[in-house]
């Protein structure tokens, strides 16, 4: 079946089977390999992408449910020489260790900061509880979100 | 087909249907019977399809039926469409203002990502004895409105569940909406969930909704999760509390009765013994919160 998805701002057409999962379309069909396959059952958050601005688990979304909608992945955020403030903050705060969970965390952070520009630590921990880091870097991740919030607010 | 050792794909193919009206949906469900699965948020169905626990030949996506989603205030009742996403439910002003107990129960479910996808109807139709939305909805006296190929029917939500993973839904039927009476004056609720982690299903949970007159219970509903094959309404506890002043002794007594009245099992989340002890504590905590709240009201 034919579907059209706006991926990181660019509309793209695909011919998918009904059983195609959005994550496999993103990774294998578009070669955007930032979003990761982790647990497959909705517990780890490694496959988090934004669907019309809201965080969802791409490994549990059927591709046809993204038809006509906006999909944002980590690749849409910044380039090597011009990182998004959230990416900068994660690097500066040492919130990236093995990196497997990072794209999911960064996309959840983007959704959080678009809903609430200056969240409290409790709000950050609550919002990010669907993303797991097995290098146990949560303290630095929370700091990174706070730092990103400050950067995006700008001076004053 | 791809190698699927880590459930990265849905291996089985299926015919996809996206009806745009309830009549069209119930006709499709009736036609394909047990070979059809309903797709709402997909947070339960999709993992089951990936693990080949379910292999439906037909998938009927209900997300293109606008009338099934959203929260509306009607003359005598509040209507919640079954396809309302949990995130939309928790953010609805009608829910936060008029049904705070639902807000509390819904925000305890899963993660933001899960709540962005999952629907309240899906949470109920999976009929997990631990589903967090069920207890609060039953405590508030929700009715389940069911659409079928030939007729519609409304039943009390507490009679909707018939066992773990089982509901009264027959061939061709779907859960269309929930209706709740407007809460009465002096009505207040408490929802508490115990889980291994905040992301997990409940080990034990409780929802209480009481109509209070100062510190005296006028009427009350006590509903527990994960302690019986279905969400369990404890009528004997409700009767023992009705017209009673909530004193420390009365709360202790009610906690004991709750613990004796549940039918828990031992599973990976906790033992039956643990559930008995914990349910007493949860009930006492819930009643204490209600009492504290009604004291503040004066």
């Amino acid at each position: 079946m034919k579907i059209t998805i706006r991926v990181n701002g660019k509309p793209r057409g695909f011919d998918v089977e009904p059983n195609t999962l959005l994550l496999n379309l993103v990774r294998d069909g578009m070669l955007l390999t930032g979003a990761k396959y982790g647990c497959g059952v909705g517990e780890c958050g490694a496959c988090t992408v934004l669907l019309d601005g809201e965080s969802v688990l791409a490994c549990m979304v059927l591709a046809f449910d993204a038809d006509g909608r906006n999909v944002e992945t980590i690749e849409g955020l910044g380039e090597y020489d011009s990182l998004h403030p959230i990416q900068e903050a994660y690097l500066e705060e040492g919130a990236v260790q093995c990196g497997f969970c990072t794209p999911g965390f960064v996309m959840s952070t983007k959704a959080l900061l678009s809903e609430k520009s200056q969240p409290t630590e409790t709000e950050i921990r609550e919002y990010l509880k669907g993303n797991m880091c097995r290098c146990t870097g949560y303290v630095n991740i929370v700091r990174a979100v706070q730092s990103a919030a400050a950067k995006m607010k700008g001076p004053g | 087909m791809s190698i699927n050792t880590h459930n990265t794909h849905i291996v089985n193919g299926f015919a996809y249907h996206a009806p745009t009206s309830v009549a069209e949906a119930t006709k499709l469900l009736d036609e394909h019977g047990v070979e059809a699965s309903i797709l709402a948020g997909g947070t339960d169905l999709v993992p089951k399809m990936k693990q080949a626990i379910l292999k439906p030949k037909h998938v009927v996506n209900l997300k293109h039926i606008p009338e099934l989603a959203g929260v509306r205030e009607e003359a005598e009742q509040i209507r919640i469409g079954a396809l309302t996403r949990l995130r939309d439910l928790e953010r609805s002003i009608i829910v936060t203002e008029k049904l705070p107990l639902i807000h509390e129960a819904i925000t305890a479910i899963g993660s933001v990502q899960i709540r962005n996808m999952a629907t309240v109807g899906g949470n109920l139709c999976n009929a997990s004895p631990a589903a967090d939305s069920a207890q609060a909805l039953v405590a508030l006296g929700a009715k389940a409105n069911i659409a079928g190929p030939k007729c519609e029917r409304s039943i009390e939500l507490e009679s909707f569940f018939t066992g773990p993973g089982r509901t009264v839904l027959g061939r061709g039927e779907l859960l269309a909406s929930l209706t709740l009476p407007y809460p009465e004056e002096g009505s207040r609720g408490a929802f508490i969930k115990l889980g291994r982690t905040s992301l997990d299903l409940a080990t034990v949970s409780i929802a209480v909704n009481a109509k209070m007159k100062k510190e005296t219970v006028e009427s009350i509903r006590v509903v527990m999760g994960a302690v019986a094959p279905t969400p369990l309404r404890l009528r004997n506890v409700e009767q023992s509390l009705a017209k009673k002043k909530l004193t420390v002794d009365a709360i202790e007594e009610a906690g004991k009765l709750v613990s004796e009245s549940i039918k828990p099992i031992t599973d990976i989340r906790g033992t039956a013994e643990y559930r008995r002890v914990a349910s007493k504590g949860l009930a006492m905590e819930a009643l204490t919160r209600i009492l504290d709240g009604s004291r503040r009201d004066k």
Side-chain angles (χ1 to χ4, degrees):
Chain A
M1 53 200 286
K2 300 243 188 296
I3 60 170
T4 307
I5 306 177
R6 186 176 278 271
V7 185
N8 296 328
K10 293 188 198 87
R12 296 182 61 169
F14 299 95
D15 195 359
V16 300
E17 294 297 323
N19 62 0
T20 304
L21 294 164
L22 180 60
L23 181 65
N24 297 334
L25 182 66
V26 167
R27 288 180 56 86
D28 304 337
M30 308 181 202
L31 301 177
L32 299 173
T33 54
K36 299 289 186 281
Y37 190 91
C39 69
V41 292
E43 289 172 0
C44 78
C47 64
T48 302
V49 301
L50 305 190
L51 192 55
D52 289 340
E54 292 182 315
S55 56
V56 297
L57 302 169
C59 86
M60 299 197 333
V61 173
L62 288 155
F64 55 68
D65 268 336
D67 187 20
R69 302 174 72 183
N70 287 299
V71 173
E72 261 180 276
T73 69
I74 186 92
E75 287 85 354
L77 248 61
E79 301 290 335
Y80 277 110
D81 48 2
S82 59
L83 292 177
H84 188 279
I86 298 173
Q87 293 168 313
E88 271 176 18
Y90 269 71
L91 286 176
E92 288 163 5
E93 296 296 333
V96 180
Q97 291 187 45
C98 87
F100 194 87
C101 70
T102 311
F105 264 103
V106 169
M107 296 317 283
S108 278
T109 304
K110 182 158 193 271
L112 166 61
L113 296 181
S114 69
E115 274 182 46
K116 190 149 197 168
S117 64
Q118 304 298 316
T120 64
E121 180 176 339
T122 313
E123 286 166 341
I124 294 169
R125 287 184 180 274
E126 182 62 30
Y127 204 98
L128 296 184
K129 77 179 184 189
N131 292 84
M132 291 199 182
C133 167
R134 290 290 92 137
C135 304
T136 69
Y138 292 111
V139 170
N140 291 358
I141 289 170
V142 171
R143 274 199 210 118
V145 178
Q146 287 165 327
S147 156
K151 280 174 193 276
M152 288 162 75
K153 187 183 173 197
Chain B
M1 202 64 218
S2 318
I3 297 166
N4 195 38
T5 50
H6 297 287
N7 305 318
T8 51
H9 294 74
I10 297 172
V11 172
N12 297 282
F14 53 81
Y16 171 65
H17 307 273
T20 52
S21 72
V22 172
E24 203 187 325
T26 53
K27 189 169 169 263
L28 279 163
L29 292 170
D30 189 34
E31 200 178 307
H32 301 296
V34 291
E35 294 192 335
S37 283
I38 290 179
L39 172 69
T43 53
D44 196 76
L45 178 67
V46 172
K48 280 186 182 151
M49 286 167 72
K50 289 205 280 188
Q51 296 167 75
I53 296 167
L54 283 177
K55 300 175 195 172
K57 291 205 169 70
H58 298 267
V59 168
V60 181
N61 186 358
L62 299 186
K63 285 195 289 292
H64 297 280
I65 309 176
E67 63 183 277
L68 288 182
V71 183
R72 286 188 297 278
E73 287 191 87
E74 296 176 354
E76 302 291 324
Q77 58 197 5
I78 297 169
R79 184 177 297 271
I80 299 173
L83 269 279
T84 309
R85 295 181 316 157
L86 298 178
R87 207 78 209 298
D88 293 329
L89 197 53
E90 79 190 56
R91 288 193 285 206
S92 149
I93 294 167
I94 302 170
V95 171
T96 45
E97 282 180 0
K98 308 230 156 83
L99 306 167
L101 185 60
I102 306 259
H103 176 85
E104 234 179 299
I106 296 293
T107 48
I109 298 178
S111 59
V112 172
Q113 291 98 315
I114 294 284
R115 301 204 298 278
N116 277 335
M117 303 165 70
T119 66
V120 64
N123 194 231
L124 296 171
C125 290
N126 280 317
S128 159
D132 290 318
S133 68
Q135 291 92 262
L137 286 161
V138 171
L140 289 166
K143 281 201 166 62
N145 304 300
I146 298 166
K150 288 186 187 72
C151 60
E152 293 176 6
R153 58 185 177 128
S154 284
I155 60 164
E156 293 293 329
L157 181 61
E158 61 172 305
S159 337
F160 181 73
F161 311 100
T162 53
R166 291 203 311 272
T167 69
V168 299
L169 289 180
R171 187 175 179 124
E173 286 188 320
L174 60 88
L175 177 63
S177 69
L178 301 152
T179 40
L180 295 105
Y182 283 98
E184 293 175 278
E185 189 82 19
S187 155
R188 50 179 59 255
F191 174 83
I192 311 172
K193 165 181 175 176
L194 278 187
R196 292 176 307 168
T197 69
S198 62
L199 212 60
D200 197 13
L201 290 176
T203 308
V204 192
S205 64
I206 188 169
V208 178
N209 191 57
K211 182 171 183 279
M212 301 293 290
K213 196 169 179 189
K214 291 186 177 155
E215 293 174 20
T216 301
V217 176
E218 292 272 283
S219 60
I220 191 165
R221 278 201 184 200
V222 179
V223 190
M224 308 242 5
V227 296
T230 63
L232 184 68
R233 188 172 161 202
L234 296 172
R235 279 200 169 71
N236 57 333
V237 177
E238 297 172 5
Q239 278 156 12
S240 81
L241 283 167
K243 311 292 172 204
K244 204 181 259 179
K245 191 165 187 249
L246 278 188
T247 59
V248 173
D249 287 346
I251 288 174
E252 166 95 32
E253 200 57 41
K256 234 191 255 170
L257 191 55
V258 165
S259 174
E260 290 161 11
S261 309
I262 60 174
K263 303 159 194 163
I265 57 161
T266 293
D267 65 11
I268 53 162
R269 294 195 170 79
T271 61
E273 291 80 2
Y274 173 83
R275 288 186 159 102
R276 280 206 192 276
V277 176
S279 63
K280 180 185 173 192
L282 283 195
M284 289 174 64
E285 173 66 23
L287 292 170
T288 306
R289 284 189 198 174
I290 286 173
L291 178 61
D292 287 349
S294 51
R295 277 183 180 148
R296 274 197 304 274
D297 269 358
K298 279 187 295 186

